[in-house]
């Protein structure tokens, strides 16, 4: 039986991934495709419904993104959002033009709650608007189902044809009941039953991996991050001892992290796999001695990592599969899925070791969003500290030390960072930042401890809130949290006599220090 799928057709909107995540939160599997994929490719997916995203263009202009109008008579329900709604109206004979009043922000919208889309919702609902153009009049056959004082067609529908459109963004949390609207679309309009559940995903993936891998050997570079750990657990469940995980201990991990990875995946852990811990600490510190330039440090670490991994892999001889912890946002961001251009070529998609002898790549998490990866990890029995770990860059603490990296400085930043995380973790989860860590500024200054003058390092604390890590706000934390951490760090970490808090947004600063 084919899994129910809803397709998000991406017209360049900034919330495309969010739409897909919200649909999946309704237990319906959802994939993102660029509008350029074309109608035939979409038909081949046999979707239960389609959602058009927003986008920066004007639907009435000649070369704006569009889709074969045959999609409207195909019979599969469509929901157009923002630009997607204007495109649908324009294509079907409605009137779309520049709005006399631009609408932006939270807006009170009057909904017709008889609409299948708005069933069970209040008639007055706050919705997130962001548009310069508007639908002046709906296309023939459509009924207007929502409006605002400035927007005569905030939603419209032609139930007979299964076509729905909303000017606002139900996918963002600023829209009250937005997820309920999407739920109404996928259940009431598309007739989905909701078969996307994590336990069945894990079960199906394990079975599919078994079939694909057969008796073959699999190799995985285990970094200790969430993605590669969940990938390892999934493969362990599927093929056990046919899997070898190589963990490169470069000595730059957060406090206790290397030991935790070895505990979970090593011989005393829960998984019956081959686990290799390559102790390469000295090699990395030697290579990094005297190196201060950030890019040089990153390059050295990247290259040395591949070299150690290759050396270990060579000892195993030829393998059949190389496993990677690629996740869905990596796929979309690499331009393979949606329309949001190539934002960055992600390190997981590409950047493979040259000399490892393998036939094929397996990527068991390719369809999952980050929070779904965490959920899959829990399902597979991984400990919470591993599953809920926050992102750490590949070069790890080496880029949280400004200037030269030494074992002593790593130990110092490990200790300060552990204290900072401990204090922040006392806050309820909803108040915690998206990413928070300590960095060593490499600046020394004068202090006084007891009756003695000190000349020691300053540690910087960072805490940011972000949804995409492309831009970030400084998280407003309680003063007591920062004060408690600062006191503990100067008292408990030797050679730190000053703690600073980084109040810079991204841009202009980046999240990491190097
Ligand atoms: P920046 O510092 O660029 O960081 O604002 C944005 C996000 O990316 C993470 N980051 C990295 N992740 N390899 C990674 O896998 C890297 O080299 C790397 N550099 C930064 C950073 O932690 C933040 O979440």
């Amino acid at each position: 039986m084919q899994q129910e799928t809803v397709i998000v057709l991406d017209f360049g909107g900034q919330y495309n991934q969010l739409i897909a995540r919200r649909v999946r939160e309704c237990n319906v599997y959802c994939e993102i495709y660029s509008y350029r994929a074309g109608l035939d490719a979409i038909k081949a997916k046999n979707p239960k419904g389609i959602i058009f995203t927003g986008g920066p263009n004007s639907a009435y202009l000649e070369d704006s993104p569009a889709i074969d109008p045959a999609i409207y008579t195909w019979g599969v329900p469509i929901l157009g959002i923002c630009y997607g709604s204007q495109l649908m109206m324009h294509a079907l004979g409605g009137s779309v033009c520049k709005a006399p009043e631009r609408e932006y922000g939270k807006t009170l919208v009057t909904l017709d709650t008889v609409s299948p889309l708005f069933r069970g919702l209040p008639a007055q609902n706050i919705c997130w608007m962001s548009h310069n153009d508007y639908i002046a009049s709906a296309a023939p056959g459509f009924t207007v189902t929502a409006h605002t004082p400035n927007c005569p067609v905030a939603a419209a529908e032609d139930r007979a044809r299964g076509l729905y459109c909303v000017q606002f963004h139900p996918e963002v949390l600023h829209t009250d009941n937005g997820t309920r609207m999407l739920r109404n679309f996928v259940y009431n309009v598309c007739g989905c039953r909701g078969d996307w559940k994590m336990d069945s995903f894990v079960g199906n993936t394990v079975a599919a991996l078994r079939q694909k891998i057969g008796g073959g050997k699999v190799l995985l570079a285990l970094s200790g991050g969430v993605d590669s750990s969940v990938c390892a657990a999934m493969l362990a469940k599927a093929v056990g001892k046919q899997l070898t995980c190589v963990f490169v201990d470069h000595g730059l991990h957060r406090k206790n992290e290397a030991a935790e990875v070895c505990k979970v995946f090593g011989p005393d852990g829960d998984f019956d796999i081959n686990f290799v811990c390559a102790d390469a600490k000295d090699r990395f510190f030697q290579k990094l001695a005297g190196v201060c330039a950030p890019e040089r440090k990153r390059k050295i670490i990247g290259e040395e990592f591949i070299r150690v991994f290759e050396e270990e892999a060579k000892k195993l001889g030829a393998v059949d599969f190389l496993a990677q912890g690629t996740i869905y946002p990596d796929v979309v961001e690499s331009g393979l899925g949606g329309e949001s251009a190539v934002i960055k070529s992600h390190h997981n998609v590409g950047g493979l070791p040259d000399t490892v002898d393998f036939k094929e790549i397996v990527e068991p998490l390719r369809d999952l969003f980050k929070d779904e990866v965490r959920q899959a990890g829990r399902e597979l029995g991984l400990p919470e500290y591993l599953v809920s770990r926050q992102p750490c860059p590949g070069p790890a603490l080496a880029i949280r030390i400004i200037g030269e990296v030494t074992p002593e400085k790593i130990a110092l930043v490990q200790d300060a960072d552990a204290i900072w995380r401990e204090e922040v973790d006392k806050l309820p989860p909803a108040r915690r930042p998206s990413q928070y860590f300590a960095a060593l500024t490499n600046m020394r200054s004068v202090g006084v401890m007891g009756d003695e003058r000190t000349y020691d390092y300053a540690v910087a604390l960072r805490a940011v809130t972000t949804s995409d890590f492309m831009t970030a706000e400084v998280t407003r934390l309680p003063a007591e949290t920062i004060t408690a951490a600062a006191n503990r760090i100067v008292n408990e970490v030797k050679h730190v006599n000053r703690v600073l808090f980084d109040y810079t947004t991204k841009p202009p600063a980046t999240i990491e220090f190097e």
Side-chain angles (χ1 to χ4, degrees):
M1 195 179 62
Q2 197 215 342
Q3 174 172 267
E4 294 173 338
T5 303
V6 164
I7 285 182
V8 168
L9 206 55
D10 186 356
F11 289 95
Q14 50 181 323
Y15 304 127
N16 57 17
Q17 292 204 14
L18 212 46
I19 300 172
R21 284 179 52 176
R22 296 275 176 266
V23 171
R24 289 191 187 186
E25 279 166 26
C26 302
N27 299 115
V28 173
Y29 183 66
C30 188
E31 286 185 352
I32 305 168
Y33 288 92
S34 163
Y35 71 93
R36 294 174 212 267
L39 186 52
D40 288 342
I42 293 159
K43 281 187 172 174
K45 289 276 155 188
N46 195 21
K48 298 281 283 184
I50 295 170
I51 301 177
F52 291 180
T53 72
N57 302 82
S58 287
Y60 45 82
L61 296 180
E62 190 79 2
D63 50 3
S64 289
I67 178 89
D68 183 346
I71 199 167
Y72 301 113
T73 50
W74 176 27
V76 171
I78 304 175
L79 170 64
I81 295 176
C82 197
Y83 176 81
S85 72
Q86 296 167 3
L87 180 74
M88 185 191 295
M89 287 296 115
H90 177 71
L92 297 174
S95 161
V96 179
C97 57
K98 196 161 183 56
E101 296 268 353
R102 173 175 184 261
E103 270 185 323
Y104 184 80
K106 288 186 179 182
T107 309
L108 191 64
V109 179
T110 304
L111 305 178
D112 177 355
T113 54
V114 173
S115 162
L117 214 52
F118 305 134
R119 197 175 293 161
L121 268 56
Q124 303 284 318
N125 196 79
I126 295 286
C127 298
W128 182 256
M129 289 285 196
S130 172
H131 61 114
N132 294 318
D133 290 342
Y134 79 158
I135 301 163
S137 59
F142 277 78
T143 308
V144 174
T145 53
H147 66 274
T148 75
N150 291 324
C151 185
V153 188
E157 66 191 33
D158 180 340
R159 280 191 224 177
R161 285 190 282 175
L163 303 177
Y164 293 76
C165 60
V166 292
Q167 178 59 69
F168 51 83
H169 290 273
E171 70 277 21
V172 302
L173 292 176
H174 302 308
T175 294
D176 291 348
N177 301 305
T179 304
R180 284 178 70 186
M181 295 176 196
L182 292 170
R183 171 175 283 274
N184 280 344
F185 177 68
V186 297
Y187 284 90
N188 300 347
V189 178
C190 304
C192 293
R193 294 178 313 275
D195 63 4
W196 170 251
K197 305 247 166 67
M198 196 41 74
D199 53 349
S200 45
F201 173 81
V202 168
N204 293 342
T205 308
V206 165
L209 283 169
R210 260 185 214 137
Q211 189 166 24
K212 179 169 182 169
I213 294 166
K217 280 209 260 179
V218 190
L219 175 64
L220 170 72
L222 181 63
S223 72
V226 179
D227 303 344
S228 69
S229 297
V230 175
C231 189
M234 189 89 94
L235 284 160
K237 188 151 187 198
V239 297
K241 279 270 191 237
Q242 287 161 252
L243 169 69
T244 302
C245 288
V246 174
F247 172 66
V248 176
D249 185 0
H250 47 39
L252 311 169
H253 291 102
R254 287 173 287 202
K255 190 169 181 173
N256 296 335
E257 210 166 82
E260 284 168 1
V261 172
C262 296
K263 187 169 154 229
V264 173
F265 292 102
D268 300 329
D270 295 336
F271 297 101
D272 190 22
I273 56 171
N274 296 302
F275 175 78
V276 177
C277 175
D279 182 353
K281 294 194 271 291
D282 291 345
R283 279 173 71 156
F284 277 84
F285 284 122
Q286 270 164 25
K287 289 265 173 188
L288 287 168
V291 180
C292 294
E295 275 311 303
R296 186 89 200 99
K297 277 158 66 171
R298 278 175 173 273
K299 224 169 163 235
I300 288 172
I301 294 164
E303 283 172 6
E304 197 61 14
F305 184 91
I306 293 276
R307 205 152 298 150
V308 176
F309 180 67
E310 281 174 349
E311 284 172 20
E312 292 303 326
K314 256 192 210 146
K315 292 182 196 162
L316 302 173
V319 294
D320 302 285
F321 297 91
L322 185 71
Q324 292 210 87
T326 316
I327 69 170
Y328 197 52
D330 306 337
V331 174
V332 176
E333 281 181 5
S334 301
L336 305 176
E339 181 50 26
S340 356
V342 181
I343 299 168
K344 54 179 178 182
S345 287
H346 199 273
H347 60 286
N348 280 340
V349 185
L352 293 173
D354 290 334
T355 61
V356 177
D357 190 3
F358 67 94
K359 291 188 213 127
E360 226 183 303
I361 290 187
V362 278
E363 298 175 310
L365 311 178
R366 221 187 136 76
D367 291 334
L368 299 186
F369 286 109
K370 192 79 179 188
D371 29 359
E372 294 172 328
V373 174
R374 295 188 205 277
Q375 224 179 309
R378 289 183 191 107
E379 200 69 47
L380 287 158
L382 286 175
E384 191 56 36
Y385 61 80
L386 246 179
V387 167
S388 58
R389 202 163 256 178
Q390 39 168 329
C392 186
L397 300 187
I399 56 165
R400 293 178 181 171
I401 292 172
I402 297 176
E404 190 190 5
V405 177
T406 62
E408 295 74 29
K409 286 183 186 173
I410 287 284
L412 192 157
V413 79
Q414 276 176 339
D415 288 341
D417 179 65
I419 293 172
W420 177 225
R421 286 188 286 128
E422 235 175 83
E423 290 302 322
V424 174
D425 289 342
K426 289 179 183 166
L427 295 169
R431 292 196 66 186
R432 284 180 215 155
S434 316
Q435 199 170 2
Y436 45 109
F437 57 85
L440 183 60
T441 63
N442 209 27
M443 178 200 82
R444 289 202 288 171
S445 65
V446 174
V448 59
M449 188 84 117
D451 288 333
E452 301 245 331
R453 175 189 184 276
T454 58
Y455 186 62
D456 270 328
Y457 286 108
V459 157
L461 305 180
R462 188 104 170 104
V464 294
T465 301
T466 172
S467 58
D468 56 8
F469 296 87
M470 306 288 199
T471 61
E473 299 292 325
V474 177
T475 312
R476 285 169 204 281
L477 291 170
E480 306 80 67
T481 303
I482 301 177
T483 315
N487 283 338
R488 280 192 58 196
I489 290 170
V490 288
N491 282 318
E492 295 174 33
V493 186
K494 256 197 183 156
H495 299 300
V496 177
N497 67 353
R498 205 173 280 271
V499 176
L500 313 169
F501 187 84
D502 183 350
Y503 259 107
T504 338
T505 57
K506 172 184 179 178
T510 51
I511 295 175
E512 300 293 344
F513 278 57
E514 289 196 334

